[in-house]
């Protein structure tokens, strides 16, 4: 089976902000593949390189070395992003547009037109429960509603691969549950989900496979059940052990 | 092209929903209407002076609208982080630049059309002379002038981080070219070397925006510009616009957005 998402010897460096350093290495020689139908958790503490990896995947930052592919196409080609949906950690949308207008705008970018576009807008607005507020400008929405607009825009093209960057960050309990239900529903539909997160309990619940990144290096990768069985502890403890954090038991 | 059109429609919508734009727009329209309709002692010279003031106001307002609208486009996308969900879609950076340019140019064109309509109706009804071809020529060249300015500001918005510094630098440059551009070669002749050569090179490099200013022809009813010259000026403007847009794309293409 061909991977849907693939990193080959990915290396990302930034100009260093600290004195005496010329470059800061964010990701070192990352090799990773995600296959169709998987729900993949991309884990790591702050500064591990998760966001840099996502930035390369979405074409925001060019890789220093190596390459990344979406559906076998180099991510530097815009067409590689035709079948993906991306939900950023925080919602940033044109606040002067209504939810309907923003979905129409993004839908047009995915070459959706006429009745097909309008029907898709109806579907996603119903899915994220924003149907009643569709004619209101986004500036009038609450934070939770804005996050749901974010999810709606990520689903407008009925993507085969969904990239979620900290999808439940800053959400209250009901919001988290709704997000988990939506991810579960997409998983049941056979969609591939790749998400970066700190929420290990959540990752353990929804993911088939995980990778743990620490200081830019891939430390471990495998099925959640295999990792848990192999180490005889839950995913959170495995994570802490891998990044070398002293757990209460070890102390 | 589909993406460019979609992006330009968002720029136009934003402009339509901003209050500061309406203040300038309505003020200019009102002042044009008032200045154009006053009649002091049935004196033709005073009427011409009023026409001149109206056209100057239209030029300043259209320039301010074009520069301020364009200067904030890409920096605002980056600052508000709306660029991330946008570029995560199958949109190239070239299409983003094209969409922003087209949106700003069309929006400026709509303003220009309304300003000129006011002016034509008021001055035409006063003088009972309807020089439609002259007005169309002037408006078209004014719009081509704005295309050059917008593409220049768009390139500036990649180079300068703050929209305010970009707006100021571009405004001073454009006004400087309009006022001094045509005289640079004459000054160059009187200077010693190498200043003379440098100034001559500058004279030939800068876009001569004064070609697009047909205000005197309208005010004094001097007739049409030869259509060949009009077409050449359009091509000249298109070449500079293409050059600035290419520069914008080359600068923006590899820029890290992290």
């Amino acid at each position: 089976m061909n991977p849907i998402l693939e990193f080959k010897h990915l290396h990302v460096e930034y100009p260093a902000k600290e004195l005496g350093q010329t470059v800061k290495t964010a990701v070192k020689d990352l090799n990773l593949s995600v296959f169709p139908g998987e729900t993949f958790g991309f884990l790591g503490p702050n500064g591990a390189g998760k966001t840099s990896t996502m930035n390369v995947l979405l074409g925001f930052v060019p890789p220093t070395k190596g390459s990344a592919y979406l559906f076998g196409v180099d991510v530097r080609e815009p067409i590689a992003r035709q079948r993906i949906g991306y939900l950023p950690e925080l919602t940033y949308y044109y606040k002067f547009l209504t939810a309907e207008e923003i979905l129409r705008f993004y839908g047009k970018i995915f070459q959706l037109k006429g009745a097909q576009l309008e029907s898709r807008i109806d579907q996603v607005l119903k899915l994220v429960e924003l149907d009643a507020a569709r004619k209101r400008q986004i500036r009038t929405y609450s934070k939770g509603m804005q996050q749901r607009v974010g999810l709606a825009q990520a689903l407008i093209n009925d993507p085969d691969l969904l990239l979620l960057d900290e999808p439940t960050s800053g959400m209250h309990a009901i919001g988290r549950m709704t997000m988990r239900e939506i991810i579960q529903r997409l998983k049941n539909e056979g969609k591939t989900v790749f998400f970066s997160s700190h929420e290990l309990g959540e990752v353990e619940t929804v993911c088939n496979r995980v990778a743990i990144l620490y200081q830019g290096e891939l430390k471990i990768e495998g099925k959640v059940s295999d990792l848990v069985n192999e180490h005889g502890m839950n995913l959170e403890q495995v994570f802490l052990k891998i990044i070398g954090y002293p757990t209460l038991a070890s102390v | 092209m589909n993406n460019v059109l979609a992006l330009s429609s968002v720029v136009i919508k934003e402009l339509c929903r901003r209050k500061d734009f309406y203040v300038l727009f309505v003020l200019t329209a009102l002042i044009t209407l008032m200045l154009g309709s006053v009649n002091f002692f049935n004196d033709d010279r005073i009427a011409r002076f009023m026409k001149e003031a109206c056209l100057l106001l239209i030029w300043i307002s259209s320039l301010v609208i074009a520069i301020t609208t364009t200067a904030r486009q890409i920096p605002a996308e980056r600052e508000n982080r709306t660029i991330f969900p946008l570029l995560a879609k199958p949109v190239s950076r070239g299409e983003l630049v094209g969409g922003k340019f087209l949106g700003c140019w069309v929006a400026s064109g709509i303003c220009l059309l309304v300003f000129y309509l006011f002016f034509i109706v008021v001055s035409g009804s006063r003088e009972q002379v309807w020089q439609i071809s002259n007005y169309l020529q002037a408006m078209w060249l004014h719009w081509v002038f704005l295309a050059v300015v917008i593409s220049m500001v768009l390139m500036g918005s990649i180079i300068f981080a703050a929209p305010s510094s970009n707006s100021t630098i571009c405004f001073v440059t454009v006004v400087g070219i309009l006022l001094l551009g045509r005289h640079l070669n004459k000054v160059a002749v009187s200077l010693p070397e190498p200043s003379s050569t440098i100034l001559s090179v500058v004279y030939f490099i800068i876009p001569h925006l004064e070609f697009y200013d047909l205000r005197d022809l309208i005010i004094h009813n001097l007739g049409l510009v030869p259509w060949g010259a009009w077409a050449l000026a359009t091509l000249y403007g298109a070449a500079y616009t293409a050059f600035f847009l290419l520069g914008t794309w080359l600068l923006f293409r590899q820029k890290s957005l992290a």
Side-chain angles (χ1 to χ4, degrees), chain B residues 156-250:
Chain B
S157 70
I158 307 291
I159 299 167
F160 306 107
S164 54
S165 54
N166 182 25
S167 301
T168 312
I169 290 167
C170 289
F171 191 80
V172 170
T173 307
V174 170
V175 173
I177 291 174
L178 282 171
L179 297 177
L180 306 172
R182 73 189 80 182
H183 305 298
L184 287 181
N185 59 338
K186 292 171 208 153
V187 177
V189 174
S190 61
L191 287 175
E193 287 297 342
S195 309
S196 173
T197 311
I198 292 169
L199 206 60
S200 299
V201 169
V202 171
Y203 174 78
F204 286 107
I205 285 178
I206 58 167
H208 283 274
L209 299 172
E210 70 274 8
F211 292 167
Y212 302 95
D213 184 1
L214 301 189
R215 282 179 297 158
D216 283 346
L217 299 188
I218 292 180
I219 294 161
H220 303 290
N221 300 331
L222 294 178
L224 285 169
V225 173
W227 288 101
W230 177 85
L232 274 176
T234 304
L235 282 177
Y236 178 81
Y240 269 99
T241 304
F243 168 76
F244 285 127
L245 287 178
L246 182 69
T248 312
W249 174 69
L250 288 173

Side-chain angles (χ1 to χ4, degrees), chain A:
Chain A
M1 198 192 300
N2 290 330
I4 210 164
L5 184 164
E6 194 176 16
F7 297 105
K8 284 183 182 168
H9 304 288
L10 183 73
H11 200 84
V12 185
E13 287 176 352
Y14 294 113
K17 286 176 184 160
E18 294 85 10
L19 280 175
Q21 269 189 307
T22 49
V23 289
K24 182 181 180 292
T25 305
V27 181
K28 289 176 208 163
D29 197 33
L30 178 68
N31 289 289
L32 191 70
S33 298
V34 177
F35 295 91
E38 281 189 322
T39 303
F40 194 95
F42 195 51
L43 312 176
N46 287 334
K50 300 189 302 292
T51 304
S52 297
T53 309
M54 279 284 217
N55 284 344
V56 169
L57 203 55
L58 295 161
F60 304 153
V61 173
T64 312
K65 272 186 245 168
S67 43
Y69 300 89
L70 285 166
F71 302 95
V73 181
D74 193 308
V75 292
R76 279 169 280 207
E77 300 290 328
I79 197 70
R81 298 187 284 279
Q82 181 68 34
R83 288 160 63 196
I84 69 162
Y86 167 61
L87 175 65
E89 182 182 353
L90 297 170
T91 51
Y92 309 108
Y93 305 103
Y94 303 106
K95 296 199 187 314
F96 52 89
L97 295 182
T98 64
E100 196 178 68
E101 284 171 340
I102 208 152
L103 293 177
R104 194 168 292 126
F105 165 59
Y106 287 134
K108 280 180 185 167
I109 285 176
F110 284 110
Q111 316 294 327
L112 296 173
K113 282 178 196 157
Q116 188 196 10
L117 174 60
E118 295 308 315
S119 128
R120 188 66 196 152
I121 291 171
D122 289 344
Q123 277 174 25
V124 290
L125 283 175
K126 275 180 191 139
L127 180 76
V128 299
E129 297 166 8
L130 277 178
D131 205 24
R134 62 192 297 163
K135 302 270 184 209
R136 272 168 52 193
Q137 283 187 24
I138 292 174
R139 72 171 87 245
T140 66
Y141 282 13
S142 68
K143 200 179 164 200
M145 288 167 88
Q146 289 189 18
Q147 275 168 322
R148 282 185 274 151
V149 173
L151 188 60
Q153 65 80 30
L155 297 173
I156 189 71
N157 58 329
D158 193 16
D160 293 320
L161 169 65
L162 203 61
L163 299 169
L164 310 173
D165 192 2
E166 309 279 356
T168 54
S169 155
M171 276 189 177
H172 54 68
I174 300 170
R176 279 165 193 266
M177 199 179 70
T178 311
M179 182 63 81
R180 262 204 299 272
E181 278 172 9
I182 292 171
I183 293 173
Q184 195 61 50
R185 195 184 306 179
L186 294 167
K187 197 174 155 182
N188 295 343
E189 284 174 18
K191 309 277 185 197
T192 311
V193 183
F194 178 86
F195 73 95
S196 75
S197 183
H198 304 291
E199 306 287 338
L200 298 167
E202 189 172 81
V203 169
E204 197 169 351
T205 317
V206 294
C207 290
N208 315 112
R209 213 151 65 89
V210 292
I212 297 175
L213 206 65
Y214 184 56
Q215 294 180 336
E217 286 180 61
L218 181 66
K219 292 291 180 188
I220 199 163
E221 180 210 338
K223 285 188 176 173
V224 176
S225 52
D226 291 352
L227 292 177
V228 168
N229 291 336
E230 193 182 311
H231 291 82
M233 44 179 83
N234 67 24
L235 188 63
E236 187 168 33
Q237 288 165 325
V238 174
F239 176 81
L240 292 174
K241 186 181 165 190
I242 284 164
I243 67 166
Y245 190 84
T247 59
L248 191 60
S250 67
V251 171

Side-chain angles (χ1 to χ4, degrees), chain B residues 23-204:
Chain B
V23 173
L24 190 62
F25 187 76
V26 172
L27 260 179
T28 307
L30 276 178
I31 296 172
T32 307
L33 204 65
M34 279 161 55
L35 283 179
S37 56
V38 288
N39 189 356
F40 295 112
F41 319 115
N42 280 329
D43 188 338
D44 257 7
R45 283 169 304 177
I46 293 175
R48 267 188 216 143
F49 178 72
M50 290 301 173
K51 269 172 83 174
E52 192 172 355
C54 283
L55 282 171
L56 180 64
L57 187 73
I58 290 173
W59 267 75
I60 293 171
S61 290
S62 60
L63 190 60
V64 169
I65 288 173
I67 289 179
T68 52
T69 306
T70 312
R72 69 166 179 262
Q73 289 302 322
I74 293 176
E77 287 271 4
R78 295 185 67 181
E79 198 183 313
N80 301 331
R81 304 177 74 85
T82 47
I83 201 162
F84 294 114
L86 178 62
L87 287 182
K89 312 263 181 300
V91 175
S92 69
R93 296 191 185 194
E95 285 171 330
L96 178 66
V97 170
K100 294 292 181 190
F101 167 76
L102 188 65
C104 293
W105 193 44
V106 170
S108 307
I110 294 168
C111 297
L112 212 56
L113 187 69
V114 177
F115 291 156
Y116 270 89
L117 271 178
F118 267 112
F119 179 74
I120 292 169
V121 169
V122 172
S123 62
S125 58
R126 285 274 313 279
E127 296 174 332
Q128 299 300 316
V129 183
W130 298 90
Q131 298 166 305
I132 300 298
S133 309
N134 299 43
Y135 288 127
L136 279 178
Q137 266 194 347
M139 199 177 74
W140 172 259
L141 289 184
H142 193 162
W143 200 31
V144 174
F145 157 83
L146 289 179
V148 179
V149 172
I150 287 167
S151 57
M152 184 198 288
V153 178
L154 211 51
M155 190 161 98
S157 70
I158 307 291
I159 299 167
F160 306 107
S164 54
S165 54
N166 182 25
S167 301
T168 312
I169 290 167
C170 289
F171 191 80
V172 170
T173 307
V174 170
V175 173
I177 291 174
L178 282 171
L179 297 177
L180 306 172
R182 73 189 80 182
H183 305 298
L184 287 181
N185 59 338
K186 292 171 208 153
V187 177
V189 174
S190 61
L191 287 175
E193 287 297 342
S195 309
S196 173
T197 311
I198 292 169
L199 206 60
S200 299
V201 169
V202 171
Y203 174 78
F204 286 107

